[in-house]
Amino acid sequence: MSEEEVFADFAARVPLAGAVVAEIGGAFPVALLHEHGVARWYSVDPNRAAQTDPSGVREVLAAGAEDMPLPDASVDAVFSCNALQFVDIGPSLLQAARVLRPGGVLYAHFGPIWSAVDGHQLEYVRYQGRDLTFWDDTLLPPWSHLLYTREELRALLRTGVEDGLADAVVGHVHDSTTVNRAFFEDYVAAALASGLDWIEVATSDHLDYEIAPPAYDAALTRPVDLAALAAEVSARRGAPTRLGVRDVLMVLRKPNY
């Protein structure tokens, strides 16, 4: 779903008139919040400057979702659009459970997650004055974040792009703290451990762009056998792991007691 569709779905599920909401990541437009009669909207995002809009409705809290600077049981809903793949999911859901009032709802739509064909989410990487994006800069072959070791990936990419760019991409895949590298099963486990009730969890494997990487050396390219790769990842993790989940909708509710 687009950001507009995500917000519309959230607003259809949660009465926003007079509500206090904590947003994990991002800062939805103030005009939209006024349109829905939101009383207070806290945007919890460590990558934004702390500020409050002149109307006093939206306040940006420059903090991570893992340590929300909000009192216990202080919000009616926690909302997140395209951000949970960037946070430490276990502590973040526990924080959401803490700040929600009884009966309050957590609504999150996010992806691509690490279980996806493009789970590396090449983004927030700057090279030679330009920001790379995974949907425009399809430098990584499908499943390469799971198929190749660091040196295998570096050797492969250097056959199609300049060394500096290859190194920047490899650094993102293997070392960046931007994405959390959580598989779908990790999100499920975190949700179950959060103390929140499960309302809905839905997934999609839809890819809305074409992955068209450069012509890399075929001798260094590993064939993709998804069943074999899933078995390899499962063995590496010590737990059954399904591959293919790209986007996730998660709706949880704090018990009314």
Side-chain angles (χ1 to χ4, degrees):
M1 296 189 289
S2 67
E3 288 190 352
E4 292 77 13
E5 290 170 327
V6 169
F7 191 90
D9 188 42
F10 170 60
R13 296 169 184 258
V14 177
L16 292 180
V20 178
V21 180
E23 177 187 7
I24 296 176
F28 265 68
V30 174
L32 185 61
L33 308 182
H34 282 295
E35 179 184 326
H36 287 271
V38 174
R40 187 76 166 173
W41 185 280
Y42 296 103
S43 295
V44 182
D45 191 333
N47 299 310
R48 296 177 186 270
Q51 59 178 319
T52 303
D53 79 274
S55 71
V57 171
R58 189 187 69 192
E59 180 179 357
V60 176
L61 303 175
E66 303 86 351
D67 188 25
M68 290 190 200
L70 292 169
D72 295 357
S74 59
V75 305
D76 300 296
V78 173
F79 170 80
S80 186
C81 179
N82 206 32
L84 291 198
Q85 70 270 34
F86 300 118
V87 305
D88 189 345
I89 188 61
S92 295
L93 290 189
L94 288 174
Q95 284 290 299
R98 180 184 65 78
V99 303
L100 278 170
R101 293 174 179 142
V105 170
L106 176 144
Y107 178 103
H109 184 281
F110 53 98
I113 65 171
W114 201 246
S115 303
V117 62
D118 57 345
H120 54 76
Q121 189 157 356
L122 179 61
E123 198 173 355
Y124 307 109
V125 177
R126 192 165 182 82
Y127 183 72
Q128 293 189 344
R130 190 172 72 83
D131 292 320
L132 305 180
T133 59
F134 62 90
W135 59 91
D136 284 327
D137 302 287
T138 58
L139 303 173
L140 287 157
W143 301 107
S144 56
H145 60 299
L146 300 177
L147 272 173
Y148 300 94
T149 66
R150 180 195 311 273
E151 291 312 317
E152 287 173 341
L153 186 57
R154 188 189 312 278
L156 175 68
L157 297 186
R158 285 188 172 192
T159 67
V161 300
E162 57 187 77
D163 290 359
L165 179 55
D167 292 347
V169 172
V170 171
H172 169 79
V173 172
H174 284 279
D175 301 314
S176 171
T177 58
T178 301
V179 291
N180 61 18
R181 297 178 179 80
F183 291 87
F184 177 63
E185 290 78 7
D186 299 321
Y187 291 97
V188 171
L192 293 173
S194 68
L196 300 173
D197 290 337
W198 190 297
I199 298 176
E200 179 182 352
V201 175
T203 68
S204 171
D205 63 359
H206 177 65
L207 185 70
D208 54 359
Y209 68 98
E210 180 185 4
I211 300 177
Y216 295 121
D217 186 345
L220 298 179
T221 303
R222 293 182 61 183
V224 178
D225 179 334
L226 201 53
L229 180 59
E232 179 184 326
V233 170
S234 297
R236 191 187 312 158
R237 284 165 45 83
T241 304
R242 180 165 62 106
L243 301 183
V245 174
R246 186 170 188 269
D247 295 295
V248 180
L249 170 65
M250 179 181 290
V251 187
L252 309 173
R253 177 180 286 124
K254 188 166 183 174
N256 242 324
Y257 51 79

